[in-house]
């Protein structure tokens, strides 16, 4: 089964966008999934690619159509080039997105951030000097206006835990890429997951791979960056629970992950963006060393100066739980995330040699933050703050 996504004009001044969404369930593939792509790109329009997986189900979740209602009055139609320093960061409030924003502002870019409307606005982005525009990838009609005057889109977005994986990570990205092509965006940077092409049984990884293929066939000038893991994610997973003497969850599998500081990821991203030799490329960024869960926990214990209360979950339990939750429709998304956990808990190394990438980017490996240094800085700062708070608390008790 395949479905076509409606065409978009290349320039939009005033648009109407009709969004017909079909329910998209996570993929249930038996065996290796194969991708089928069809292109029909005319000079004045983009007929989006039909995406299908076989065996299993078809990725054709939505039909999006933008129609120009009036004559175009954009800088493109007037022949005025869009400044190369004008960028739109999607997912700017996330762990990686905010570092991309900070790096871009520090390097002199004109930064626009697409964020969802929320009760508590992302004021910190404005305080930094970025422009904040409201938009929602799950509502494609909100996208075109955010792209006016933009040269490069940097896509750091991912869905919220309470949302179906497909809503933002597939349907939203399809709409965003479609609109980027229609609006004449000069470059599209997309963050993906290392080895996503090797695990079609995991919905998030399959969607990332499908999005890569979709972007590659869209006609846009793109840069795809596959990532292994964020060092920042280890703080909430291991460092904080150890300090608070709470349980730390791990598995009995020897998975090794080359975690990378998101500040280094953002720095290397802009170096790659400015490199004229890097055009329509797929790069993978990995940290200096791949770590097992137990090695990370041991490092945190040493730096925190206290033992961790480790609860080990056997991989066999993860597999059984995923199969069990598949029986209930309302737990499908939980099962999807368990499938991802299962891959991360298998005997796999999430890392790649970085020598060639460093040479391509002109980067010295010594400038890349190691996990030891990152966690050392964190524990030094947090333990000092805890010590200061404890001293202030004692002083308050005296006054009381």
């Amino acid at each position: 089964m395949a479905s076509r996504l409606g065409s978009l004009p290349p320039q939009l001044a005033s648009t109407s966008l009709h969004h017909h969404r079909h329910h998209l369930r996570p993929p249930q593939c038996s065996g290796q999934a194969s991708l089928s792509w069809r292109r029909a790109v005319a000079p004045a329009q983009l007929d989006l690619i039909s995406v299908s997986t076989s065996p299993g189900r078809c990725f054709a979740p939505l039909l999006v159509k933008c129609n120009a209602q009036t004559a175009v009055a954009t800088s493109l139609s007037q022949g005025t080039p869009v400044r190369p320093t004008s960028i739109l960061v999607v997912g700017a409030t996330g762990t990686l997105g905010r570092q991309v924003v900070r790096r871009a502002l520090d390097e002199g870019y004109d930064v626009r951030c697409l964020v969802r409307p929320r009760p508590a606005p992302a004021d910190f982005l404005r305080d930094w000097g970025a422009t904040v525009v409201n938009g929602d990838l799950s509502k494609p009609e909100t996208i075109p206006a955010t792209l006016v005057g933009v040269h490069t889109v940097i896509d750091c977005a991912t869905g919220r835990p309470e949302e179906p994986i497909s809503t933002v990570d597939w349907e939203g990205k399809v709409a965003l890429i479609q609109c980027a092509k229609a609006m004449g965006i000069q470059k599209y940077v997309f963050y993906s997951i290392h080895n996503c092409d090797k695990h079609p049984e995991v919905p998030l990884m399959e969607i990332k791979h499908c999005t890569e293929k979709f972007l590659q066939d869209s006609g846009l000038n793109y840069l795809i960056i596959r990532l292994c893991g964020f060092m920042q994610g280890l703080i909430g997973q291991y460092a904080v629970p150890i300090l608070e003497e709470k349980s730390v969850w791990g598995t009995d599998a020897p998975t090794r992950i080359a975690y990378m500081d998101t500040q280094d990821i953002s720095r290397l991203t802009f170096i790659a963006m400015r490199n004229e030799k890097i055009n329509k490329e797929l790069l993978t960024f990995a940290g200096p060393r791949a770590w097992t869960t137990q090695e990370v926990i041991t490092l945190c214990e040493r730096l925190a100066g206290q033992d961790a209360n480790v609860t080990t979950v056997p991989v066999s339990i993860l597999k059984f739980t995923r199969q069990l939750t598949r029986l209930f429709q309302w737990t499908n998304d939980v099962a999807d995330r368990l499938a991802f956990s299962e891959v991360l808990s298998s005997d796999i190394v999430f890392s790649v040699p970085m020598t060639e990438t460093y040479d391509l980017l002109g980067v010295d490996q010594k400038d890349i933050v190691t996990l030891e240094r990152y966690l050392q800085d964190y524990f030094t700062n947090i333990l000092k703050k805890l010590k200061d708070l404890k001293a202030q608390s004692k002083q308050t008790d005296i006054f009381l």
Side-chain angles (χ1 to χ4, degrees):
M1 181 178 80
S3 162
R4 286 170 59 104
L5 299 174
S7 62
L8 285 166
Q11 299 169 337
L12 302 173
S14 174
T15 67
S16 66
L17 189 146
H18 309 287
H19 181 208
H20 307 282
R21 184 185 308 227
H22 300 285
H23 181 63
L24 177 64
R25 294 184 179 180
Q28 299 178 2
C29 302
S30 56
Q32 180 68 31
S34 62
L35 296 174
S36 174
W37 308 87
R38 291 187 303 166
R39 290 192 60 194
V41 182
Q45 67 180 21
L46 171 66
D47 250 346
L48 285 181
I49 309 151
S50 69
V51 187
S52 62
T53 57
S54 175
R57 36 151 288 277
C58 171
F59 271 127
L62 71 163
L63 297 172
V64 180
K65 186 176 183 181
C66 289
N67 295 316
Q69 299 297 314
T70 61
V72 175
T74 65
S75 59
L76 287 174
S77 65
Q78 296 166 359
T80 304
V82 174
R83 290 177 297 173
T85 55
S86 176
I87 67 173
L88 175 71
V89 180
V90 186
T93 59
T95 302
L96 176 58
R98 62 183 62 198
Q99 295 299 338
V100 169
V101 172
R102 286 294 296 267
R103 169 60 60 172
L105 290 169
D106 289 345
E107 296 193 5
Y109 285 85
D110 180 12
V111 183
R112 185 183 304 175
C113 302
L114 189 156
V115 300
R116 301 191 199 191
R118 59 182 66 195
D123 290 335
F124 69 94
L125 296 172
R126 294 188 181 90
D127 293 341
W128 291 349
T131 300
V132 176
V133 294
N134 286 333
D136 190 336
L137 296 189
S138 65
K139 299 176 181 178
E141 67 274 9
T142 67
I143 297 174
T146 69
L147 296 171
V148 174
V150 169
H151 180 277
T152 300
V153 170
I154 304 180
D155 179 5
C156 314
T158 190
R160 296 168 178 167
E162 67 271 14
E163 295 176 319
I165 290 176
S166 61
T167 301
V168 168
D169 287 284
W170 174 246
E171 298 176 9
K173 299 305 178 75
V174 166
L176 179 59
I177 293 170
Q178 188 177 31
C179 289
K181 175 64 176 178
M183 297 291 289
I185 297 301
Q186 298 299 300
K187 180 168 286 189
Y188 192 108
V189 180
F190 173 64
Y191 291 105
S192 187
I193 301 174
H194 177 49
N195 281 338
C196 62
D197 54 324
K198 298 179 180 178
H199 297 282
E201 75 280 5
V202 181
L204 179 59
M205 299 183 82
E206 184 184 23
I207 285 173
K208 287 290 188 182
H209 183 223
C210 286
T211 306
E212 289 180 357
K213 300 293 291 184
F214 194 91
L215 179 58
Q216 289 168 340
D217 283 358
S218 69
L220 285 165
N221 180 12
Y222 63 85
L223 170 61
I224 296 171
I225 301 174
R226 290 183 177 181
L227 305 173
C228 298
F230 300 157
M231 290 182 183
Q232 280 74 7
L234 300 175
I235 300 302
Q237 191 170 1
Y238 301 115
V240 172
I242 289 174
L243 288 172
E244 295 182 348
E245 299 181 354
K246 294 181 179 179
S247 291
V248 174
W249 296 87
T251 69
D252 56 356
T255 308
R256 307 184 75 87
I257 301 176
Y259 300 100
M260 197 170 191
D261 188 348
T262 53
Q263 292 187 30
D264 281 334
I265 293 172
S266 60
R267 181 169 64 90
L268 266 58
T269 295
F270 284 99
I271 293 175
M273 280 173 49
R274 290 189 296 268
N275 191 323
E276 295 181 357
K277 297 179 181 179
I278 301 176
N279 181 31
K280 296 187 176 181
E281 293 285 345
L282 189 156
L283 303 177
T284 300
F285 292 170
R289 174 189 163 185
W291 296 74
T292 66
T293 297
Q294 186 54 54
E295 287 172 339
V296 174
I297 292 174
T298 300
L299 177 60
C300 289
E301 288 178 319
R302 176 169 62 82
L303 295 174
Q306 60 191 71
D307 294 335
N309 179 19
V310 182
T311 301
T312 301
V313 180
V315 174
S316 58
I317 296 296
L318 283 177
K319 292 179 179 178
F320 172 76
T321 305
R322 179 159 70 100
Q323 292 169 355
L324 181 64
T325 55
R326 284 288 187 201
L327 300 176
F328 305 98
Q329 181 178 354
W330 57 87
T331 60
N332 272 339
D333 294 322
V334 173
D336 292 343
R337 288 172 172 82
L338 282 172
F340 187 62
S341 300
E342 187 180 318
V343 170
L344 293 179
S345 302
S346 57
D347 188 8
I348 295 176
V349 177
F350 279 81
S351 182
V352 293
M354 287 288 290
T355 303
E356 290 186 7
T357 302
Y358 291 146
D359 290 342
L360 176 65
L361 301 179
V363 173
D364 190 338
Q365 183 176 351
K366 295 179 182 178
D367 295 331
I368 303 299
V369 174
T370 64
L371 185 60
E372 295 98 326
R373 178 176 149 197
Y374 175 81
L375 289 176
Q376 176 69 67
D377 289 346
Y378 172 78
F379 279 104
T380 298
N381 292 331
I382 198 68
L383 290 175
K384 182 179 182 301
K385 289 180 180 179
L386 290 173
K387 184 178 179 180
D388 292 343
L389 287 173
K390 188 175 181 180
Q392 292 176 9
S393 177
K394 288 183 178 180
Q395 189 175 24
T396 303
D397 290 342
I398 293 174
F399 287 117
L400 291 174

